[in-house]
Amino acid sequence: MPKCKDWYKTQQGYVEYGAWGFDKLRLLSKIVPGPTEDSCTTWLGAESPTGALMGAYRGGVQQMTQARRLVWMMENKQDVSPYSVTMTCHNQMCCNPKHFKLKPTNRPNA
């Protein structure tokens, strides 16, 4: 039996912020907190040269994005699309929201 078009929206941990939607429970299962609140976290999921990667839905289309973008959206409950999320700790695999810094992006439809 084929899945309906928006079956992912019925998943227990699914959340949406603006055009983005993702499985919050899956995201959190791939992050191991550091020994203190201020230390870097450990990302256990997919990696690329630009950092930790996580599958998400943007406008209903599945795509990969940086996990830190999803963590920022989850923490702030809003879409981060007009910004680039960079790390003050310079650890591309870190997902600690205390280490995030937003920069405006020049990309259209970011």
Side-chain angles (χ1 to χ4, degrees), residues 30-81:
K30 297 178 184 294
I31 299 172
V32 177
T36 68
E37 285 186 17
D38 294 326
S39 59
C40 289
T41 58
T42 302
W43 175 252
L44 302 176
E47 301 176 10
S48 80
T50 59
L53 293 177
M54 175 76 182
Y57 295 88
R58 185 173 185 196
V61 178
Q62 190 173 16
Q63 71 178 61
M64 297 295 278
T65 189
Q66 295 170 334
R68 62 181 172 253
R69 295 176 63 82
L70 302 177
V71 171
W72 191 93
M73 286 188 271
M74 188 175 64
E75 290 288 316
N76 295 282
K77 310 225 180 316
Q78 64 182 8
D79 193 346
V80 73
S81 292

Short mmCIF file of all heavy atoms in Angstrom, two decimals, residues 30-81:
data_model
loop_
_atom_site.label_atom_id
_atom_site.label_comp_id
_atom_site.label_asym_id
_atom_site.label_seq_id
_atom_site.Cartn_x
_atom_site.Cartn_y
_atom_site.Cartn_z
N LYS A 30 20.33 12.02 17.66
CA LYS A 30 21.66 12.05 17.05
C LYS A 30 22.61 13.05 17.71
O LYS A 30 23.70 13.27 17.24
CB LYS A 30 21.54 12.36 15.56
CG LYS A 30 20.78 11.28 14.80
CD LYS A 30 20.64 11.62 13.36
CE LYS A 30 19.81 10.62 12.61
NZ LYS A 30 20.39 9.31 12.53
N ILE A 31 22.16 13.67 18.81
CA ILE A 31 22.98 14.67 19.50
C ILE A 31 23.27 14.20 20.92
O ILE A 31 22.36 13.86 21.66
CB ILE A 31 22.26 16.03 19.56
CG1 ILE A 31 22.00 16.55 18.14
CG2 ILE A 31 23.06 17.04 20.35
CD1 ILE A 31 21.12 17.78 18.09
N VAL A 32 24.55 14.17 21.27
CA VAL A 32 24.96 13.81 22.63
C VAL A 32 25.47 15.08 23.30
O VAL A 32 26.43 15.68 22.82
CB VAL A 32 26.07 12.72 22.62
CG1 VAL A 32 26.54 12.43 24.03
CG2 VAL A 32 25.58 11.47 21.92
N PRO A 33 24.83 15.50 24.39
CA PRO A 33 25.29 16.72 25.07
C PRO A 33 26.71 16.57 25.60
O PRO A 33 27.15 15.47 25.92
CB PRO A 33 24.30 16.89 26.22
CG PRO A 33 23.17 15.96 25.95
CD PRO A 33 23.68 14.90 25.04
N GLY A 34 27.39 17.70 25.71
CA GLY A 34 28.73 17.71 26.29
C GLY A 34 28.66 17.63 27.81
O GLY A 34 27.58 17.61 28.39
N PRO A 35 29.81 17.61 28.46
CA PRO A 35 29.84 17.50 29.92
C PRO A 35 29.24 18.70 30.64
O PRO A 35 28.76 18.58 31.76
CB PRO A 35 31.33 17.34 30.25
CG PRO A 35 32.07 17.70 29.02
CD PRO A 35 31.14 17.59 27.87
N THR A 36 29.26 19.87 30.00
CA THR A 36 28.65 21.06 30.58
C THR A 36 27.75 21.71 29.54
O THR A 36 27.85 21.39 28.35
CB THR A 36 29.70 22.09 31.03
OG1 THR A 36 30.34 22.63 29.87
CG2 THR A 36 30.73 21.48 31.97
N GLU A 37 26.89 22.62 29.98
CA GLU A 37 25.99 23.31 29.05
C GLU A 37 26.74 24.15 28.02
O GLU A 37 26.24 24.39 26.94
CB GLU A 37 25.03 24.22 29.81
CG GLU A 37 23.92 23.50 30.52
CD GLU A 37 22.92 24.47 31.13
OE1 GLU A 37 22.91 25.65 30.76
OE2 GLU A 37 22.16 24.03 32.00
N ASP A 38 27.93 24.61 28.37
CA ASP A 38 28.68 25.48 27.49
C ASP A 38 29.65 24.74 26.56
O ASP A 38 30.25 25.35 25.68
CB ASP A 38 29.46 26.51 28.30
CG ASP A 38 28.53 27.47 29.03
OD1 ASP A 38 27.46 27.79 28.47
OD2 ASP A 38 28.87 27.90 30.14
N SER A 39 29.79 23.43 26.74
CA SER A 39 30.72 22.68 25.89
C SER A 39 30.04 22.24 24.60
O SER A 39 28.82 22.25 24.48
CB SER A 39 31.27 21.47 26.64
OG SER A 39 30.23 20.62 27.04
N CYS A 40 30.85 21.88 23.62
CA CYS A 40 30.32 21.41 22.35
C CYS A 40 29.55 20.10 22.54
O CYS A 40 29.83 19.34 23.45
CB CYS A 40 31.46 21.16 21.35
SG CYS A 40 32.24 22.66 20.74
N THR A 41 28.58 19.88 21.67
CA THR A 41 27.85 18.63 21.66
C THR A 41 28.49 17.69 20.65
O THR A 41 29.32 18.11 19.84
CB THR A 41 26.38 18.87 21.27
OG1 THR A 41 26.37 19.48 19.98
CG2 THR A 41 25.67 19.75 22.26
N THR A 42 28.11 16.44 20.67
CA THR A 42 28.63 15.46 19.71
C THR A 42 27.50 15.06 18.77
O THR A 42 26.45 14.62 19.21
CB THR A 42 29.17 14.21 20.44
OG1 THR A 42 30.18 14.63 21.36
CG2 THR A 42 29.74 13.21 19.47
N TRP A 43 27.71 15.23 17.47
CA TRP A 43 26.75 14.84 16.45
C TRP A 43 27.05 13.42 16.01
O TRP A 43 28.18 13.10 15.64
CB TRP A 43 26.83 15.80 15.26
CG TRP A 43 25.96 15.38 14.12
CD1 TRP A 43 26.37 14.86 12.93
CD2 TRP A 43 24.53 15.46 14.06
NE1 TRP A 43 25.29 14.61 12.14
CE2 TRP A 43 24.14 14.97 12.81
CE3 TRP A 43 23.55 15.89 14.94
CZ2 TRP A 43 22.81 14.89 12.41
CZ3 TRP A 43 22.23 15.83 14.54
CH2 TRP A 43 21.87 15.34 13.30
N LEU A 44 26.07 12.53 16.04
CA LEU A 44 26.25 11.12 15.70
C LEU A 44 25.71 10.77 14.31
O LEU A 44 25.79 9.62 13.90
CB LEU A 44 25.57 10.23 16.74
CG LEU A 44 26.02 10.41 18.18
CD1 LEU A 44 25.20 9.54 19.11
CD2 LEU A 44 27.50 10.09 18.32
N GLY A 45 25.15 11.74 13.60
CA GLY A 45 24.54 11.48 12.30
C GLY A 45 25.48 11.70 11.14
O GLY A 45 26.70 11.68 11.29
N ALA A 46 24.90 11.92 9.98
CA ALA A 46 25.65 12.11 8.74
C ALA A 46 26.53 13.35 8.81
O ALA A 46 26.19 14.31 9.49
CB ALA A 46 24.69 12.21 7.56
N GLU A 47 27.65 13.31 8.08
CA GLU A 47 28.60 14.42 8.08
C GLU A 47 28.97 14.82 6.66
O GLU A 47 28.91 14.02 5.74
CB GLU A 47 29.89 14.00 8.80
CG GLU A 47 29.71 13.56 10.21
CD GLU A 47 30.99 13.06 10.86
OE1 GLU A 47 32.08 13.24 10.25
OE2 GLU A 47 30.92 12.50 11.94
N SER A 48 29.35 16.08 6.53
CA SER A 48 29.89 16.59 5.28
C SER A 48 30.98 17.59 5.64
O SER A 48 31.11 17.95 6.81
CB SER A 48 28.80 17.26 4.45
OG SER A 48 28.55 18.56 4.92
N PRO A 49 31.74 18.10 4.68
CA PRO A 49 32.76 19.10 4.99
C PRO A 49 32.17 20.37 5.62
O PRO A 49 32.86 21.09 6.32
CB PRO A 49 33.41 19.40 3.64
CG PRO A 49 33.18 18.18 2.84
CD PRO A 49 31.84 17.65 3.28
N THR A 50 30.89 20.65 5.37
CA THR A 50 30.27 21.85 5.94
C THR A 50 29.58 21.59 7.27
O THR A 50 29.01 22.50 7.85
CB THR A 50 29.24 22.45 4.96
OG1 THR A 50 28.23 21.47 4.71
CG2 THR A 50 29.89 22.89 3.68
N GLY A 51 29.65 20.37 7.76
CA GLY A 51 29.08 20.09 9.08
C GLY A 51 28.13 18.92 9.12
O GLY A 51 28.05 18.11 8.20
N ALA A 52 27.41 18.85 10.24
CA ALA A 52 26.46 17.78 10.50
C ALA A 52 25.26 17.91 9.56
O ALA A 52 24.75 18.99 9.34
CB ALA A 52 26.00 17.87 11.95
N LEU A 53 24.80 16.80 9.01
CA LEU A 53 23.67 16.80 8.08
C LEU A 53 22.49 16.02 8.61
O LEU A 53 22.66 15.00 9.27
CB LEU A 53 24.08 16.19 6.74
CG LEU A 53 25.09 16.97 5.92
CD1 LEU A 53 25.43 16.19 4.65
CD2 LEU A 53 24.56 18.34 5.56
N MET A 54 21.29 16.50 8.30
CA MET A 54 20.06 15.84 8.74
C MET A 54 19.02 16.00 7.64
O MET A 54 18.93 17.06 7.01
CB MET A 54 19.57 16.51 10.03
CG MET A 54 18.26 16.05 10.54
SD MET A 54 18.37 14.43 11.33
CE MET A 54 16.67 14.19 11.74
N GLY A 55 18.26 14.97 7.42
CA GLY A 55 17.18 15.02 6.44
C GLY A 55 16.01 15.83 6.99
O GLY A 55 15.66 15.74 8.16
N ALA A 56 15.41 16.64 6.13
CA ALA A 56 14.26 17.46 6.51
C ALA A 56 13.39 17.64 5.28
O ALA A 56 13.73 17.17 4.19
CB ALA A 56 14.73 18.81 7.04
N TYR A 57 12.27 18.30 5.46
CA TYR A 57 11.37 18.61 4.36
C TYR A 57 11.27 20.12 4.23
O TYR A 57 11.06 20.81 5.22
CB TYR A 57 9.98 18.02 4.61
CG TYR A 57 10.00 16.52 4.65
CD1 TYR A 57 10.23 15.84 5.82
CD2 TYR A 57 9.81 15.79 3.48
CE1 TYR A 57 10.27 14.46 5.85
CE2 TYR A 57 9.86 14.40 3.50
CZ TYR A 57 10.08 13.75 4.69
OH TYR A 57 10.13 12.39 4.70
N ARG A 58 11.45 20.61 3.04
CA ARG A 58 11.31 22.04 2.78
C ARG A 58 10.27 22.22 1.69
O ARG A 58 10.47 21.77 0.57
CB ARG A 58 12.64 22.65 2.35
CG ARG A 58 12.54 24.17 2.20
CD ARG A 58 13.89 24.74 1.94
NE ARG A 58 13.80 26.18 1.92
CZ ARG A 58 14.71 26.96 1.44
NH1 ARG A 58 15.82 26.44 0.95
NH2 ARG A 58 14.55 28.26 1.46
N GLY A 59 9.17 22.82 2.08
CA GLY A 59 8.07 22.95 1.14
C GLY A 59 7.53 21.60 0.70
O GLY A 59 7.06 21.46 -0.42
N GLY A 60 7.61 20.61 1.56
CA GLY A 60 7.12 19.27 1.25
C GLY A 60 8.08 18.40 0.47
O GLY A 60 7.78 17.25 0.17
N VAL A 61 9.27 18.92 0.13
CA VAL A 61 10.26 18.17 -0.63
C VAL A 61 11.40 17.78 0.31
O VAL A 61 11.94 18.61 1.03
CB VAL A 61 10.81 19.01 -1.80
CG1 VAL A 61 11.89 18.26 -2.56
CG2 VAL A 61 9.68 19.43 -2.72
N GLN A 62 11.76 16.50 0.29
CA GLN A 62 12.81 16.03 1.17
C GLN A 62 14.17 16.53 0.70
O GLN A 62 14.46 16.51 -0.50
CB GLN A 62 12.81 14.51 1.22
CG GLN A 62 13.70 13.95 2.30
CD GLN A 62 13.56 12.45 2.45
OE1 GLN A 62 13.04 11.79 1.58
NE2 GLN A 62 14.04 11.93 3.54
N GLN A 63 14.99 17.00 1.64
CA GLN A 63 16.35 17.42 1.32
C GLN A 63 17.21 17.38 2.57
O GLN A 63 16.71 17.34 3.69
CB GLN A 63 16.37 18.82 0.71
CG GLN A 63 16.06 19.95 1.68
CD GLN A 63 16.14 21.30 1.01
OE1 GLN A 63 15.40 21.56 0.08
NE2 GLN A 63 17.03 22.14 1.47
N MET A 64 18.52 17.38 2.36
CA MET A 64 19.46 17.40 3.48
C MET A 64 19.77 18.86 3.81
O MET A 64 19.82 19.71 2.94
CB MET A 64 20.76 16.68 3.11
CG MET A 64 20.59 15.21 2.82
SD MET A 64 20.06 14.27 4.25
CE MET A 64 21.60 14.02 5.07
N THR A 65 19.98 19.13 5.10
CA THR A 65 20.36 20.46 5.54
C THR A 65 21.28 20.30 6.75
O THR A 65 21.42 19.22 7.30
CB THR A 65 19.13 21.33 5.88
OG1 THR A 65 19.56 22.67 6.10
CG2 THR A 65 18.39 20.82 7.09
N GLN A 66 21.89 21.39 7.15
CA GLN A 66 22.76 21.35 8.31
C GLN A 66 21.92 21.16 9.57
O GLN A 66 20.92 21.85 9.76
CB GLN A 66 23.57 22.64 8.41
CG GLN A 66 24.54 22.80 7.26
CD GLN A 66 25.15 24.18 7.23
OE1 GLN A 66 24.57 25.14 7.71
NE2 GLN A 66 26.33 24.27 6.65
N ALA A 67 22.33 20.24 10.40
CA ALA A 67 21.59 19.94 11.62
C ALA A 67 21.49 21.17 12.52
O ALA A 67 20.48 21.38 13.19
CB ALA A 67 22.27 18.79 12.36
N ARG A 68 22.52 22.02 12.51
CA ARG A 68 22.48 23.20 13.37
C ARG A 68 21.34 24.15 12.98
O ARG A 68 20.77 24.82 13.83
CB ARG A 68 23.81 23.93 13.37
CG ARG A 68 24.25 24.47 12.04
CD ARG A 68 25.61 25.16 12.18
NE ARG A 68 26.16 25.52 10.90
CZ ARG A 68 27.17 24.91 10.32
NH1 ARG A 68 27.75 23.89 10.91
NH2 ARG A 68 27.62 25.32 9.16
N ARG A 69 20.96 24.18 11.70
CA ARG A 69 19.82 24.99 11.28
C ARG A 69 18.53 24.46 11.92
O ARG A 69 17.69 25.22 12.38
CB ARG A 69 19.69 24.99 9.75
CG ARG A 69 20.84 25.67 9.05
CD ARG A 69 20.71 25.57 7.54
NE ARG A 69 19.53 26.26 7.05
CZ ARG A 69 19.46 27.56 6.83
NH1 ARG A 69 20.50 28.32 7.07
NH2 ARG A 69 18.36 28.10 6.37
N LEU A 70 18.38 23.14 11.93
CA LEU A 70 17.19 22.54 12.52
C LEU A 70 17.15 22.74 14.03
O LEU A 70 16.09 23.02 14.60
CB LEU A 70 17.13 21.05 12.17
CG LEU A 70 17.12 20.72 10.67
CD1 LEU A 70 17.12 19.23 10.46
CD2 LEU A 70 15.95 21.39 9.97
N VAL A 71 18.31 22.62 14.68
CA VAL A 71 18.37 22.85 16.12
C VAL A 71 18.01 24.30 16.43
O VAL A 71 17.24 24.58 17.36
CB VAL A 71 19.77 22.50 16.69
CG1 VAL A 71 19.90 22.94 18.14
CG2 VAL A 71 20.04 21.01 16.56
N TRP A 72 18.52 25.23 15.63
CA TRP A 72 18.19 26.65 15.85
C TRP A 72 16.69 26.87 15.72
O TRP A 72 16.08 27.54 16.55
CB TRP A 72 18.94 27.53 14.86
CG TRP A 72 18.84 28.98 15.23
CD1 TRP A 72 19.72 29.69 15.98
CD2 TRP A 72 17.77 29.89 14.90
NE1 TRP A 72 19.27 30.98 16.12
CE2 TRP A 72 18.07 31.13 15.48
CE3 TRP A 72 16.60 29.76 14.19
CZ2 TRP A 72 17.24 32.23 15.35
CZ3 TRP A 72 15.77 30.86 14.06
CH2 TRP A 72 16.09 32.08 14.64
N MET A 73 16.07 26.29 14.69
CA MET A 73 14.62 26.43 14.50
C MET A 73 13.85 25.82 15.66
O MET A 73 12.87 26.39 16.15
CB MET A 73 14.18 25.81 13.18
CG MET A 73 14.56 26.64 11.98
SD MET A 73 13.86 26.03 10.44
CE MET A 73 15.11 24.88 9.93
N MET A 74 14.30 24.67 16.13
CA MET A 74 13.64 24.00 17.24
C MET A 74 13.74 24.85 18.51
O MET A 74 12.76 24.99 19.25
CB MET A 74 14.28 22.63 17.45
CG MET A 74 13.56 21.76 18.43
SD MET A 74 14.30 20.12 18.51
CE MET A 74 15.93 20.49 19.15
N GLU A 75 14.89 25.44 18.76
CA GLU A 75 15.09 26.24 19.97
C GLU A 75 14.33 27.57 19.92
O GLU A 75 13.83 28.04 20.93
CB GLU A 75 16.59 26.54 20.16
CG GLU A 75 17.40 25.34 20.56
CD GLU A 75 17.14 24.91 21.98
OE1 GLU A 75 17.07 25.77 22.88
OE2 GLU A 75 17.02 23.69 22.20
N ASN A 76 14.26 28.18 18.74
CA ASN A 76 13.67 29.51 18.61
C ASN A 76 12.26 29.51 18.02
O ASN A 76 11.64 30.56 17.91
CB ASN A 76 14.58 30.40 17.76
CG ASN A 76 15.89 30.63 18.46
OD1 ASN A 76 15.97 31.42 19.38
ND2 ASN A 76 16.92 29.90 18.06
N LYS A 77 11.80 28.34 17.61
CA LYS A 77 10.44 28.16 17.09
C LYS A 77 10.11 29.09 15.92
O LYS A 77 9.03 29.65 15.85
CB LYS A 77 9.41 28.32 18.21
CG LYS A 77 9.75 27.47 19.42
CD LYS A 77 8.58 26.75 19.95
CE LYS A 77 8.85 25.90 21.15
NZ LYS A 77 9.99 25.09 21.20
N GLN A 78 11.07 29.28 15.02
CA GLN A 78 10.84 30.06 13.81
C GLN A 78 11.79 29.62 12.72
O GLN A 78 12.83 29.02 12.99
CB GLN A 78 10.98 31.55 14.08
CG GLN A 78 12.35 32.00 14.50
CD GLN A 78 12.40 33.49 14.79
OE1 GLN A 78 11.39 34.17 14.82
NE2 GLN A 78 13.58 34.00 15.02
N ASP A 79 11.43 29.93 11.49
CA ASP A 79 12.22 29.57 10.31
C ASP A 79 13.52 30.38 10.30
O ASP A 79 13.51 31.58 10.57
CB ASP A 79 11.39 29.86 9.06
CG ASP A 79 11.98 29.25 7.80
OD1 ASP A 79 13.16 28.82 7.83
OD2 ASP A 79 11.27 29.21 6.79
N VAL A 80 14.61 29.74 9.96
CA VAL A 80 15.91 30.40 9.92
C VAL A 80 16.35 30.68 8.48
O VAL A 80 17.45 31.15 8.24
CB VAL A 80 16.97 29.54 10.66
CG1 VAL A 80 17.34 28.31 9.86
CG2 VAL A 80 18.20 30.33 11.01
N SER A 81 15.47 30.47 7.52
CA SER A 81 15.83 30.57 6.09
C SER A 81 16.56 31.84 5.68
O SER A 81 17.46 31.78 4.86
CB SER A 81 14.60 30.38 5.21
OG SER A 81 14.15 29.05 5.33
#
